[in-house]
Amino acid sequence: MGTSLLIAAAVFVFAVGTAVNGCTPSDRAALIAFKAALHEPYLGIFKSWTGNDCCNKWYGVSCDPITKRVADINLRGESEDPIFQKAHRTGYMNGSISPAICKLNRLSSVIIADWKGISGIIPPCISSLPFLRILDLIGNQISGQIPFDIGKLSRLTVLNVADNRITGRMPRSIADLSSLMHLDLRNNLISGTIPQNFGKLRMLSRALLSGNRIYGPIPYTISYIYRLSDLDLSLNRISGPVPESLGKMAVLATLNLDGNKISGKLPATLMNSSISILNLSRNAIEGNIPDVFGPRSYFMMMDLSYNNLRGAIPKSIASASYIGHLDLSHNHLCGAIPAGSWFDHLEATSFVNNDCLCGKPLKSC
């Protein structure tokens, strides 16, 4: 082998070795640009972001062991990491999320959570990260809208932007997130209606949308999400009736619809279902409480307070297998409170401010 070939082979081996042993220069440059848009004054978490190898002991950064491409950014402002315990405080960071993060095109997870002061928008280019599985930006001051083409993230399993200042509507493309299991949009300023095609999210197990400005009806298509176990639409401006199909969902265990403008009658299906936490308080639900309780009725909590329910408390409620916390206060109920073993622990506050209820724990009939 000639000298020139030996030199070429040596350069090739050196280049391959460099690529495998350290992070790529482009990934390092993207991280440096990402860091430049943020200011973390108390903990010094970015002090470790030095040297050429961003895969080696850069706080919150991890890489694919084979390709050495940056795979995860995990920066949590509330953690039991020694860096927090040593400082005796939770984290605070301001600034914004730089679009440079989108140059890290092998990212699997982006967790930039609970820093309290990070503002600006979600970079729209985040939708172009084809391997992204987790996007968790909870607990900041992020504003603007959810990227309109978020649905391109076909591998995304977790979308959490709770406790921010997100505005605008839920993009229709959110229903294209075919792998999504956990959706948390709580406590933002999101308005508009729930997309009618929301039921396409067949892998979804938790949909937490409380504390926004969402209005309009509950789409009946939600009942198509057969894995859904937790649905929280509380503290919005949702109107119309509760779809009776929600009570027929196989694994729905928690249904929180309190603090809306929901009207119509109480679906009988909800009283005899898999739901164990049911909160429909502070709405405009009317009519009677359906007399359909039975052994399948198991409620850790059932709150129907502050509605327009009338008539008697159904006698079948005594045949429920369990009711832990019950609140029927501030309605127009009348008649004797049924006797039942699990009624013994209930206090008068569960029944006050009705038209003419009587019996234990209220005054005798």
Side-chain angles (χ1 to χ4, degrees):
M1 186 180 286
T3 305
S4 58
L5 282 175
L6 283 170
I7 292 170
V11 168
F12 176 77
V13 169
F14 175 78
V16 170
T18 303
V20 172
N21 291 331
C23 77
T24 64
S26 60
D27 277 9
R28 183 185 181 279
L31 286 170
I32 294 297
F34 166 77
K35 180 183 82 164
L38 296 167
H39 176 58
E40 191 281 296
Y42 301 114
L43 300 171
I45 64 166
F46 290 128
K47 286 181 181 175
S48 63
W49 286 33
T50 58
N52 289 329
D53 188 3
C54 59
C55 297
N56 184 24
K57 298 181 180 177
W58 281 35
Y59 185 89
V61 176
S62 57
C63 300
D64 183 289
I66 298 170
T67 65
K68 298 297 181 181
R69 296 296 308 278
V70 173
D72 304 291
I73 295 176
N74 186 357
L75 299 173
R76 295 184 184 274
E78 295 179 4
S79 169
E80 295 183 4
D81 189 281
I83 200 169
F84 291 84
Q85 295 177 353
K86 186 177 178 182
H88 301 292
R89 61 168 297 138
T90 58
Y92 177 81
M93 197 188 302
N94 56 22
S96 61
I97 300 173
S98 168
I101 199 171
C102 302
K103 293 179 180 177
L104 301 166
N105 58 12
R106 302 293 297 193
L107 274 174
S108 176
S109 64
V110 174
I111 301 171
I112 307 168
D114 296 313
W115 291 103
K116 307 171 189 69
I118 296 175
S119 56
I121 65 169
I122 302 170
C125 59
I126 209 95
S127 301
S128 67
L129 294 173
F131 300 100
L132 197 63
R133 296 178 185 275
I134 297 172
L135 180 60
D136 185 351
L137 307 176
I138 187 174
N140 290 292
Q141 296 289 327
I142 296 167
S143 57
Q145 301 189 17
I146 298 169
F148 77 96
D149 57 350
I150 192 85
K152 286 162 61 178
L153 297 173
S154 60
R155 289 179 168 88
L156 199 70
T157 60
V158 174
L159 175 57
N160 186 354
V161 294
D163 300 327
N164 279 286
R165 302 191 61 77
I166 305 289
T167 55
R169 304 171 73 96
M170 261 187 286
R172 183 174 169 80
S173 79
I174 211 164
D176 295 329
L177 294 170
S178 55
S179 302
L180 196 67
M181 297 179 185
H182 180 99
L183 176 64
D184 193 346
L185 309 180
R186 289 174 297 174
N187 302 326
N188 280 286
L189 303 168
I190 295 167
S191 57
T193 58
I194 300 170
Q196 193 62 41
N197 62 348
F198 198 77
K200 285 172 62 182
L201 294 167
R202 298 299 169 86
M203 300 297 287
L204 196 65
S205 64
R206 303 189 80 200
L208 311 177
L209 311 180
S210 64
N212 282 287
R213 298 173 178 179
I214 299 166
Y215 56 82
I218 301 170
Y220 70 91
T221 61
I222 284 181
S223 61
Y224 299 166
I225 309 173
Y226 54 86
R227 296 171 186 259
L228 192 65
S229 65
D230 188 348
L231 177 61
D232 188 352
L233 305 178
S234 61
L235 303 174
N236 279 290
R237 299 168 186 179
I238 288 166
S239 57
V242 179
E244 68 169 44
S245 56
L246 294 184
K248 298 175 182 177
M249 296 179 67
V251 295
L252 186 64
T254 300
L255 180 60
N256 289 323
L257 303 177
D258 49 299
N260 281 289
K261 299 178 178 180
I262 293 168
S263 57
K265 295 188 174 181
L266 200 56
T269 53
L270 299 184
M271 306 296 106
N272 210 343
S273 68
S274 63
I275 297 169
S276 60
I277 296 175
L278 177 66
N279 192 343
L280 301 177
S281 66
R282 298 180 187 276
N283 280 289
I285 297 168
E286 56 195 20
N288 295 345
I289 301 172
D291 192 5
V292 293
F293 291 86
R296 273 200 74 205
S297 308
Y298 184 100
F299 290 100
M300 292 169 65
M301 189 268 275
M302 181 165 67
D303 190 344
L304 306 178
S305 64
Y306 291 92
N307 278 289
N308 296 318
L309 296 169
R310 298 182 179 276
I313 300 174
K315 287 186 169 57
S316 66
I317 202 167
S319 67
S321 59
Y322 180 74
I323 297 185
H325 173 79
L326 175 68
D327 194 344
L328 302 177
S329 66
H330 298 272
N331 279 287
H332 299 286
L333 300 170
C334 202
I337 296 171
S341 59
W342 45 260
F343 267 91
D344 294 342
H345 69 274
L346 296 176
E347 299 181 4
T349 50
S350 294
F351 304 102
V352 297
N353 290 97
N354 276 286
D355 287 2
C356 46
L357 283 179
C358 59
K360 189 181 178 182
L362 301 180
K363 66 179 189 300
S364 57
C365 296

